Amino acid sequence: MSIWEAVLLGIIQGLTEFLPISSTAHLLVARQLLGHANPRDAFTTAIQLGTLVAVFVYFRTDLYRMCVAVLADMRSRRFASTPDSRLFWMMVLATFPVVICGFAFKDFIKKSLYDTWVIAAAAIGFSFLLLAAELIARRKTGRDENQVTWRDALLVGLFQTLALIPGASRSGVTITAGLFAGLSRPAAARLSFLLSLPSILGAGLYDGYKERHELFQSGSDVVNLFVGATVAGIVGYLSIAWLIGFLKRYSTYGFIVYRILLGLLIFGLLARGWLVNELPPRS
């Protein structure tokens, strides 16, 4: 992999991790078109840590308040006594479903779902789920993030398990859940990013450690990973800020149309033989 390819993949990761359009779909398709022998290698996983840093930086004030609130509760032997401490424990609650499903269906996901046609089908299929959430949200006055309930957090956590399907989009399914729950679009987006932090961190560290020998085979591998993750982090930060501002004024219909077109494009590239369906297995 060259430096310019690492930069390109970093831009793609940063743009698509937080927009509801699936970073996995874009990265795997882009890497196939670039001619990479194994688009599912450790680089695709590890580069996500760059966008994770973007979430930590963007929400640093919120995270600081949550930590202070939880420590205050521990000192006074209370549980979730303030909105900030409740949000922290909601993050924990929302993480359980995806952790359980991730470990329970790990082999099935790796062996059966990482096919290009599954990615294309998921891009299209989950766009209609987001459309249904948008249509329901139009009939409601969306609640803000201070009105998030335990039920909302659990619903987002359950929907987050769908992100284990390549092409579904973690931000897409969690924003969908937030809209179904009756949250406003900006609140659904912010909740999506905050509640996904533990699962993204856990998955990134787990896969990074497991595949550390592959990641650091040579000096060029280290440089490419650093460049890709750094670019992904910068672009990801800008993407978060842009998306939250965008959703204050507009719906997600544009993303829905984009996902459908993306899926159709992938199917077309498969038909022309420019993409392969069965991706090389991942250890």
Side-chain angles (χ1 to χ4, degrees), residues 51-177:
T51 46
L52 181 68
V53 172
V55 182
F56 275 106
V57 173
Y58 188 88
F59 291 104
R60 60 191 180 278
T61 303
D62 303 76
L63 294 171
Y64 174 76
R65 288 202 314 267
M66 280 188 274
C67 291
V68 170
V70 169
L71 290 173
D73 272 0
M74 292 174 64
R75 285 194 295 267
S76 58
R77 298 183 181 180
R78 294 178 298 180
F79 174 75
S81 65
T82 66
D84 288 325
S85 61
R86 276 197 299 275
L87 185 55
F88 174 87
W89 292 112
M90 286 177 186
M91 291 171 60
V92 175
L93 173 64
T95 305
F96 275 109
V98 72
V99 170
I100 294 170
C101 289
F103 279 105
F105 301 105
K106 177 176 62 176
D107 293 337
F108 171 76
I109 292 168
K110 286 184 176 181
K111 295 176 182 178
S112 302
L113 296 185
Y114 271 88
D115 287 339
T116 308
W117 78 266
V118 172
I119 293 171
I124 295 173
F126 283 97
S127 69
F128 289 106
L129 191 63
L130 180 56
L131 175 61
E134 272 287 356
L135 294 175
I136 290 174
R138 288 179 61 184
R139 307 191 196 104
K140 300 179 179 179
T141 302
R143 293 177 286 122
D144 64 32
E145 58 194 273
N146 294 322
Q147 298 172 300
V148 173
T149 66
W150 293 98
R151 178 179 174 275
D152 298 333
L154 180 58
L155 181 65
V156 172
L158 291 172
F159 265 68
Q160 193 171 210
T161 63
L162 298 175
L164 295 170
I165 302 171
S169 170
R170 184 186 306 275
S171 62
V173 295
T174 49
I175 290 173
T176 296

Side-chain angles (χ1 to χ4, degrees), residues 17-18 48-63 190 192-197 200 233 236-237 240:
E17 177 66 35
F18 303 115
Q48 295 179 8
L49 293 176
T51 46
L52 181 68
V53 172
V55 182
F56 275 106
V57 173
Y58 188 88
F59 291 104
R60 60 191 180 278
T61 303
D62 303 76
L63 294 171
R190 286 178 62 89
S192 163
F193 301 148
L194 284 170
L195 297 191
S196 65
L197 265 175
I200 297 175
Y237 182 92
I240 294 172

